[in-house]
Amino acid sequence: MRQLIDLPTPSSDKARTDKAPAHDSAKGHVSGTARYTDDVYRHAAMLHLAVGVSTKAHAQITKIDLDAVRSAPGVIDVFTSQDIPGHNEVGAVFPGDPLLVEGRVSYAGQPIFAVVADTLRHARQATSLAQIEYKSESPLLDPAVAIEENSVVLPKHVQRREAGQNIIDEAHREAPLPALESAQHRVSGRLDVGGQEHFYLEGQIAIAEPWEDDGLRVVTSTQHPSEVQKLVAEVIGIPLHRIVAEVRRMGGGFGGKESQAAPVGVLAALACWRTGRSVKFRMPREIDMRVTGKRHPFRSSYDVGFNDEGVIEAAKIELIGNCGYSPDLSEGVVDRAMFHADNAYYIGDALVIGHRAKTNTVSHTAFRGFGGPQGMLPIETVMDDIARTLGLDPLDVRKRNLYRTGKDETHYGQKVEQHLIGPMMETLEERSEYRSRRQKIAEFNKQSPIIKRGLALTPVQFGISFTATHLNQAGAIVRVYTDGSVLANHGGTEMGQGLHTKVCQVVARELGLSLENVRISATRTDKVPNTSPTAASSGADLNAMAARKAALEIKQRLFQFAQDEYALEPASMHLEENAFHATTLTGDAFTLSWPELVQQAYLHRIPLFSEGFYATPKIGYDKKTARGRPFYYYAYGAAVTEVEIDTLTGENRVRRVDILHDVGESLNPAIDRGQVEGGYIQGLGWLTTEELVWNDDGQLMTAGPSTYKIPAYSDAPIDFRVNLLEGHPNSEATIYHSKAVGEPPFMLAISAWAALRDAISSLSDYALNPVLNTPATPERILFACNKIRERQEDKVSA
């Protein structure tokens, strides 16, 4: 039986505004008055830093002469690894990332020395005067070859389920799956998935200044201020309490400022420590792209067995993450790719293997989805391949393999408890007119020899929580001043995603205030310590919950005071519309304005500030048994994308997109809708236009907007229809039963890539499966079209 979900009718502008206030910095963004790190200080006494980087990808430094650099105009200081007073290490989790390299360089663009000068121009010009000689070696760039040669940054991980049981016997874990060997049908293949440059509008930047006698203040554009604080302290060799890291807002992050921003802050801090003066380090875009990591490219292979109905019985999926030269965050990235190798499907007996290849490129890092998108692509390839092998509609194959009651445990042992994706796909299928459009597209393709159209509906099931369990914690402070105004501070960072707005909404809601009475201050490590990065889509889940706990503590104190002072009925007390309302023990109505209540509480020495702390419950994963519950819950989404391609040039466009996305009980529908739309477009760029190219010498050839193409306004779908799922709150006790929305929408764009494959396959009347690695650039689409034509001709001639 079809299960449909009622979609909301469009609400009035007033209703939308009341429930979804604007981003707290919206006016500043559009007027240019929002202050970013580069706007903080612009005084003449500030010094500027630049780095000299390796020109080789794999080489031994045989000679380094920096005399000309030191004598260059305006140069104040030059330092190398030899001048570091503490640890020359800025690795995020594992060692292997020197702040300044010495001896052997591991990628082209690796920092070797730093220059501090009176102007930015002088600092950058001086770096070109260094005389460095190398003994070059051939760089290792192919991740598959790296695995063959056992060049890895970390050991592989294996997950295996057989006959419904997770197998923990090491000797048996990678043995062939009997159910795969005996399957009625099998499809297998290989997929190369490209990386992605973060291309945040605000590049990497940090400012360091002397602070409080013997400390340092680092104003930085980072998703993880506590890591900046920690690494500055370790590199300089002083305690953490002498360092303050501060972030007001970032001009985008997308994961690229989770670990990769730390070395920028550390270099600025070290230069400040050495010179005793304020130092700014702002990377030019080209250096930023060469020095900092990207989304991990992956090479994946799959071998899947299925029955006549297209239902998967067994699957072997092998994932090779190209990690670059060091571990960085690659353990978690590859783990999450493995967790999402099933996407929203029960894949029967399963063998999932994750490798972490070490190559001579920059160390790849977090990016929106954190390995999940790369992990999902192989199984979505499989769904289309099964459909074309059996002559079925790909949507029917997807629906037959979805998690459902009785088949609701993942290959890593977590039970899928909220079965929303099936009804969501049914609803989207009907609302998007999928079946009739599928028929019309088939008819169009028969009549059109050159221009072909494709259609695909794909789901997303994305786990929410840091896979590193200890990071699932957050703190917040709420302060109420005697005039009734409220200041909140928490450990999360604002990068345009609206986290500060949502936290203010939560505090205002708990205290019964209008939003303008609540303000957020900059994230600082001397206010909330030991913070987790703002990542893993958990910013609001963690920090808003911590802020709510702090606000509830204040509210409880105020209620207790009012009850005792004014003889009130406890159950009648509530805060609403900037006032306190209750009923006295004699039955009379009692009201105080919020400022009056606060003033009276202050006069009676009631504390008007509180701290809140939240740790995500229920989660944990044992890597030894490859089993557990790494995620608190799943967020769901589904998208239908229609594309059009020119089979003679590979040019393509997206004609229409229909999205239904699950955000639980939305904290702010306007912000959440923006995340869905932006996530889809960014995912579309990853899968179609954003191509990273290294030459055979390991040099990045796409180091600027002239060669690296992010989506533009003109790349947006001609017809873009987005709905948020309503009436289905999160079944877990998250903040007001909402769900995370940062990363899951990114993977909705997989439907566009599947639609491109569908259009190419139409050249064979949907009988052949095209190989289409990502990004699906016009060149790759053209080559895939030509290959399908060749295979079709061979088939006919045979």
Side-chain angles (χ1 to χ4, degrees):
M1 178 174 294
R2 293 168 63 83
Q3 292 178 278
L4 301 181
I5 295 172
D6 291 331
L7 297 183
T9 56
S11 56
S12 68
D13 288 341
K14 184 179 186 306
R16 283 198 297 269
T17 302
D18 290 345
K19 188 178 179 183
H23 191 290
D24 74 313
S25 298
K27 291 182 180 179
H29 289 159
V30 298
S31 65
T33 58
R35 287 166 60 84
Y36 292 86
T37 303
D38 198 29
D39 304 315
V40 174
Y41 294 109
R42 290 182 176 273
H43 56 77
M46 175 173 284
L47 302 178
H48 297 265
L49 188 144
V51 290
V53 302
S54 168
T55 59
K56 305 294 182 182
H58 191 201
Q60 183 74 31
I61 297 175
T62 58
K63 178 184 177 182
I64 179 167
D65 184 349
L66 301 178
D67 288 345
V69 179
R70 291 187 175 92
S71 60
V75 169
I76 305 297
D77 190 22
V78 178
F79 57 90
T80 69
S81 62
Q82 300 297 316
D83 302 305
I84 294 174
H87 301 301
N88 183 24
E89 176 60 56
V90 288
V93 181
F94 301 94
D97 289 273
L99 179 66
L100 296 171
V101 69
E102 60 178 330
R104 181 175 296 277
V105 296
S106 299
Y107 74 95
Q110 190 166 18
I112 298 173
F113 65 93
V115 177
V116 185
D118 57 351
T119 68
L120 182 60
R121 173 173 289 185
H122 281 153
R124 291 180 181 174
Q125 287 177 337
T127 62
S128 64
L129 301 177
Q131 297 182 27
I132 303 176
E133 296 178 4
Y134 305 89
K135 181 180 180 182
S136 295
E137 301 176 31
S138 297
L140 178 56
L141 302 173
D142 188 324
V145 173
I147 296 303
E148 290 175 2
E149 297 181 359
N150 197 32
S151 175
V152 297
V153 297
L154 292 168
K156 67 182 174 183
H157 184 45
V158 180
Q159 298 166 333
R160 183 186 182 99
R161 177 178 60 199
E162 188 177 333
Q165 300 294 317
N166 285 70
I167 306 300
I168 61 175
D169 176 20
E170 288 289 343
H172 185 61
R173 268 200 181 169
E174 294 185 55
L177 292 166
L180 182 57
E181 301 298 320
S182 62
Q184 291 173 282
H185 307 280
R186 288 171 76 166
V187 294
S188 60
R190 193 187 83 185
L191 181 67
D192 286 330
V193 178
Q196 187 177 22
E197 165 63 35
H198 300 87
F199 221 98
Y200 22 66
L201 292 182
E202 176 201 35
Q204 298 279 4
I205 183 171
I207 297 171
E209 63 173 354
W211 177 75
E212 295 293 327
D213 300 327
D214 60 354
L216 291 172
R217 175 178 178 238
V218 184
V219 181
T220 172
S221 182
T222 180
Q223 295 171 236
H224 199 352
S226 285
E227 184 167 79
V228 173
Q229 177 196 33
K230 172 180 177 292
L231 292 176
V232 167
E234 291 177 353
V235 168
I236 295 177
I238 60 177
L240 273 73
H241 68 212
R242 289 167 64 181
I243 308 295
V244 171
E246 177 180 327
V247 184
R248 174 56 184 94
R249 61 174 58 87
M250 286 169 275
F254 312 118
K257 295 177 180 177
E258 182 175 345
S259 65
Q260 303 279 302
V264 180
V266 172
L267 282 166
L270 181 56
C272 174
W273 185 260
R274 287 171 58 85
T275 63
R277 294 170 63 180
S278 299
V279 176
K280 179 187 290 187
F281 181 19
R282 175 165 60 85
M283 283 189 179
R285 179 67 65 176
E286 180 182 351
I287 294 295
D288 192 327
M289 292 184 71
R290 295 190 187 280
V291 169
T292 63
K294 328 294 180 194
R295 180 186 297 280
H296 288 61
F298 267 66
R299 171 164 294 180
S300 305
S301 60
Y302 56 88
D303 188 357
V304 176
F306 54 97
N307 64 20
D308 289 334
E309 301 299 314
V311 176
I312 293 176
E313 296 174 338
K316 177 184 178 182
I317 299 173
E318 194 159 6
L319 306 168
I320 301 175
N322 183 346
C323 302
Y325 84 98
S326 73
D328 191 72
L329 299 172
S330 295
E331 180 183 46
V333 168
V334 176
D335 281 354
R336 187 174 275 271
M338 297 173 69
F339 290 137
H340 291 299
D342 56 348
N343 192 6
Y345 311 110
Y346 183 82
I347 58 175
D349 286 4
L351 174 59
V352 180
I353 305 172
H355 301 277
R356 298 165 177 86
K358 181 177 182 178
T359 58
N360 291 118
T361 70
V362 64
S363 187
H364 296 303
T365 190
F367 200 129
R368 196 176 195 170
F370 203 74
Q374 299 97 308
M376 288 181 186
L377 276 172
I379 197 65
E380 290 302 335
T381 307
V382 166
M383 293 296 155
D384 290 330
D385 289 358
I386 290 174
R388 286 187 273 269
T389 299
L390 297 178
L392 299 172
D393 188 310
L395 176 57
D396 293 328
V397 174
R398 287 184 165 91
K399 287 162 63 176
R400 291 172 189 177
N401 284 284
L402 292 174
Y403 281 111
R404 55 197 177 278
T405 303
K407 290 189 175 181
D408 53 6
E409 187 174 290
T410 67
H411 57 284
Y412 48 89
Q414 178 161 345
K415 188 172 183 179
V416 178
E417 297 172 338
Q418 195 175 22
H419 294 290
L420 288 178
I421 192 61
M424 289 176 67
M425 291 177 72
E426 295 274 10
T427 301
L428 194 59
E429 175 187 343
E430 181 176 280
R431 293 299 180 97
S432 69
E433 303 172 304
Y434 175 89
R435 299 292 177 180
S436 61
R437 288 168 63 198
R438 165 66 70 188
Q439 185 175 352
K440 290 177 182 178
I441 286 172
E443 292 170 356
F444 173 87
N445 287 339
K446 286 181 180 179
Q447 303 299 321
S448 176
I450 306 301
I451 305 300
K452 299 292 183 180
R453 291 176 181 169
L455 186 70
L457 193 165
T458 61
V460 171
Q461 175 179 298
F462 191 80
I464 303 299
S465 290
F466 285 100
T467 52
T469 304
H470 71 278
L471 294 177
N472 294 282
Q473 59 176 299
I477 303 172
V478 174
R479 306 172 185 84
V480 179
Y481 295 97
T482 53
D483 66 349
S485 62
V486 178
L487 183 66
N489 185 270
H490 60 90
T493 56
E494 176 63 53
M495 62 195 93
Q497 83 279 35
L499 174 60
H500 285 348
T501 304
K502 288 183 175 181
V503 171
C504 284
Q505 285 182 257
V506 168
V507 173
R509 176 170 169 174
E510 292 302 330
L511 299 180
L513 302 175
S514 53
L515 191 58
E516 59 266 22
N517 289 320
V518 182
R519 181 181 176 89
I520 286 279
S521 59
T523 306
R524 284 174 56 122
T525 55
D526 61 345
K527 293 181 179 178
V528 177
N530 310 319
T531 59
S532 295
T534 304
S537 302
S538 63
D541 280 9
L542 296 174
N543 295 285
M545 188 67 89
R548 178 174 183 261
K549 288 192 170 190
L552 284 172
E553 177 66 28
I554 294 171
K555 181 161 70 172
Q556 181 59 38
R557 293 174 191 161
L558 292 173
F559 279 14
Q560 188 63 57
F561 157 71
Q563 178 187 339
D564 297 341
E565 182 70 15
Y566 303 112
L568 303 176
E569 286 282 0
S572 69
M573 296 184 295
H574 62 283
L575 293 166
E576 185 178 4
E577 295 183 349
N578 303 313
F580 171 79
H581 305 276
T583 303
T584 66
L585 294 176
T586 59
D588 298 323
F590 180 87
T591 300
L592 279 178
S593 70
W594 169 255
E596 288 175 324
L597 175 65
V598 168
Q599 183 67 28
Q600 289 301 313
Y602 168 73
L603 293 174
H604 286 78
R605 298 185 295 180
I606 304 300
L608 296 172
F609 58 92
S610 183
E611 298 175 350
F613 178 80
Y614 175 74
T616 308
K618 298 184 179 181
I619 55 175
Y621 178 73
D622 186 345
K623 293 200 77 167
K624 292 182 179 178
T625 62
R627 186 175 178 84
R629 179 177 178 167
F631 307 119
Y632 190 27
Y633 63 88
Y634 294 101
Y636 298 97
V640 181
T641 299
E642 180 181 336
V643 301
E644 188 173 72
I645 67 171
D646 184 330
T647 61
L648 296 182
T649 65
E651 292 176 279
N652 59 91
R653 63 173 180 164
V654 177
R655 288 173 49 83
R656 175 178 165 182
V657 175
D658 297 75
I659 290 172
L660 179 59
H661 197 77
D662 162 38
V663 294
E665 193 65 39
S666 176
L667 294 177
N668 188 312
I671 285 176
D672 289 350
R673 177 185 288 270
Q675 287 292 297
V676 173
E677 293 170 349
Y680 180 92
I681 295 297
Q682 191 174 46
L684 185 67
W686 168 55
L687 290 168
T688 61
T689 65
E690 299 185 44
E691 186 175 22
L692 292 165
V693 178
W694 282 268
N695 67 14
D696 292 343
D697 293 327
Q699 302 290 334
L700 180 65
M701 306 302 290
T702 49
S706 63
T707 52
Y708 186 81
K709 186 182 184 302
I710 63 172
Y713 180 81
S714 58
D715 295 305
I718 300 167
D719 187 351
F720 202 7
R721 310 180 189 192
V722 176
N723 277 291
L724 302 181
L725 181 67
E726 294 190 3
H728 294 270
N730 196 338
S731 59
E732 297 293 347
T734 54
I735 183 71
Y736 304 142
H737 294 278
S738 63
K739 286 190 177 182
V741 71
E743 292 171 296
F746 183 92
M747 285 142 284
L748 295 169
I750 292 175
S751 61
W753 175 76
L756 289 169
R757 291 189 77 219
D758 183 66
I760 298 167
S761 182
S762 71
L763 290 167
S764 67
D765 197 21
Y766 305 102
L768 299 176
N769 292 311
V771 175
L772 186 62
N773 295 324
T774 73
T777 58
E779 295 90 342
R780 285 200 173 108
I781 292 172
L782 175 60
F783 297 156
C785 288
N786 291 342
K787 190 65 176 178
I788 287 291
R789 287 192 179 101
E790 291 174 9
R791 290 170 61 192
Q792 185 69 1
E793 291 172 1
D794 292 342
K795 184 178 177 181
V796 171
S797 62

